[in-house]
Amino acid sequence: MKRIVTIQDISCLGKCSLTVALPIISATGVEASIIPTAVLSTHTMFKGFTFKDLTDQIYPIVNHWKEEEITFDGLYTGYLGTIDQIDMIKDVFKMFKTENNFTFVDPVMADNGKLYPNFDEAYVKKNAELCEVADYIVPNITEACLMTGMEYKEEYDKKYIHDLLYALAKRGGHIIVVTGVSLEEGKLGFMSLDVDKDEFYLYQTDRIDVSYHGTGDIFSSVAVGCLARGIDYKKAFQIAADYTALTIRKTLENPAKPWYGVDFELTIPSLVQMIQHDAN
């Protein structure tokens, strides 16, 4: 069985970060190890959430793993709360990166043209440095603009996304995926650039006019699991997009109208079927 490690916070309630990554990656048939960077009572869209920083646990965890000669087929980062944590994760990459595994960075820090609260330009710069040493980079349009200095636009064409991908490629990475791309009315998806082949790939699903917390974590976690399974990167991200869209549609059917996350638990059987179809 393949094994990855995912490095991000854990919100005890909220269907995001590690509470999404663990079950989703496990559902892909890949062992999921974790480095929790913080523990929160809920995700940050709740009021009055508690927060316990676990930065001081990162080095002890990875040093123990090195003593035990643990290896990974992939290393995956999501939300990292501080600049110090980003510097530490760069060290973790150096400790466990080999010619036969991959590093995957989802630089979670912004959306809809704005940085998330408590982040600043120094944090953006550090996140960009982490992307420089990653094999796969998966920012949304806002994050890509912040890291490259390009102007954020809500209305754009294919050339704009191409330019954005090329600007990211100057910083590093082999496969760059920009999410939240809409190049057709009623459609939403991603565009990627295979830097080594200078090859673009666009994939879009039907746009669903609703926003839920944690869908980006679902997308990245599915992609990581598929990549660890050896599925071609285009198909891996396509499955991730299809599954995320399916899960959003399923959540819309819930009469309770959950606001803090999507009902991914109900669609895991569909994810397993998608992966089995493409892995066989």
Side-chain angles (χ1 to χ4, degrees), residues 119-136:
F119 289 156
D120 56 19
E121 289 301 319
Y123 184 85
V124 172
K125 182 178 179 181
K126 274 296 178 183
N127 237 341
E129 291 178 5
L130 183 62
C131 287
E132 290 174 1
V133 296
D135 296 312
Y136 295 88

Side-chain angles (χ1 to χ4, degrees), residues 2-280:
K2 300 293 186 178
R3 178 197 295 132
I4 66 94
V5 57
T6 178
I7 310 164
Q8 49 189 306
D9 71 281
I10 183 164
S11 296
C12 298
L13 186 148
K15 299 189 182 185
C16 66
S17 56
L18 285 181
T19 51
V20 163
L22 273 169
I24 292 291
I25 292 169
S26 298
T28 68
V30 173
E31 179 184 344
S33 303
I34 66 170
I35 298 177
T37 57
V39 176
L40 292 79
S41 56
T42 64
H43 64 57
T44 57
M45 298 303 290
F46 286 83
K47 295 181 180 179
F49 61 88
T50 66
F51 177 91
K52 175 64 175 177
D53 191 312
L54 297 178
T55 301
D56 63 354
Q57 295 301 303
I58 294 176
Y59 281 140
I61 290 170
V62 297
N63 287 336
H64 181 219
W65 286 348
K66 290 301 287 186
E67 291 174 0
E68 295 293 326
E69 299 182 351
I70 305 296
T71 60
F72 299 100
D73 298 288
L75 298 99
Y76 157 41
T77 69
Y79 181 94
L80 300 172
T82 67
I83 286 175
D84 288 343
Q85 286 183 353
I86 294 175
D87 282 332
M88 296 171 86
I89 301 314
K90 288 166 68 177
D91 289 340
V92 174
F93 280 6
K94 291 177 183 178
M95 294 171 69
F96 292 96
K97 184 71 176 78
T98 71
E99 293 181 357
N100 300 315
N101 64 13
F102 65 87
T103 49
F104 184 111
V105 172
D106 183 357
V108 182
M109 59 180 167
D111 203 1
N112 299 316
K114 297 180 180 179
L115 273 171
Y116 292 151
N118 302 320
F119 289 156
D120 56 19
E121 289 301 319
Y123 184 85
V124 172
K125 182 178 179 181
K126 274 296 178 183
N127 237 341
E129 291 178 5
L130 183 62
C131 287
E132 290 174 1
V133 296
D135 296 312
Y136 295 88
I137 305 169
V138 191
N140 59 34
I141 292 176
T142 301
E143 291 157 348
C145 288
L146 287 169
M147 290 191 292
T148 61
M150 281 186 57
E151 178 187 359
Y152 172 77
K153 296 182 179 180
E154 294 187 355
E155 295 184 6
Y156 48 82
D157 57 13
K158 184 180 293 185
K159 182 181 182 301
Y160 174 79
I161 302 299
H162 284 184
D163 290 344
L164 196 55
L165 286 162
Y166 276 135
L168 287 166
K170 292 178 180 179
R171 305 197 66 90
H174 296 286
I175 303 295
I176 302 171
V177 178
V178 172
T179 62
V181 173
S182 178
L183 293 177
E184 183 181 345
E185 186 71 25
K187 298 289 185 179
L188 185 70
F190 68 86
M191 180 175 281
S192 64
L193 171 63
D194 183 329
V195 176
D196 299 327
K197 296 180 180 179
D198 193 23
E199 177 182 82
F200 293 103
Y201 178 68
L202 172 68
Y203 186 77
Q204 298 180 114
T205 61
D206 290 337
R207 178 190 284 274
I208 306 169
D209 289 325
V210 66
S211 178
Y212 286 111
H213 201 79
T215 52
D217 298 329
I218 290 174
F219 177 86
S220 290
S221 297
V222 171
V224 166
C226 290
L227 291 168
R229 290 284 298 265
I231 295 174
D232 173 77
Y233 90 87
K234 294 179 183 177
K235 191 62 182 179
F237 284 102
Q238 180 180 324
I239 292 172
D242 287 343
Y243 176 70
T244 303
L246 170 66
T247 302
I248 292 172
R249 289 195 296 270
K250 189 67 175 179
T251 305
L252 285 172
E253 298 173 4
N254 187 338
K257 303 298 181 185
W259 63 270
Y260 62 83
V262 292
D263 295 336
F264 72 90
E265 298 91 343
L266 300 178
T267 55
I268 281 180
S270 297
L271 175 61
V272 173
Q273 291 176 355
M274 291 177 186
I275 292 172
Q276 287 178 339
H277 178 271
D278 284 279
N280 293 333

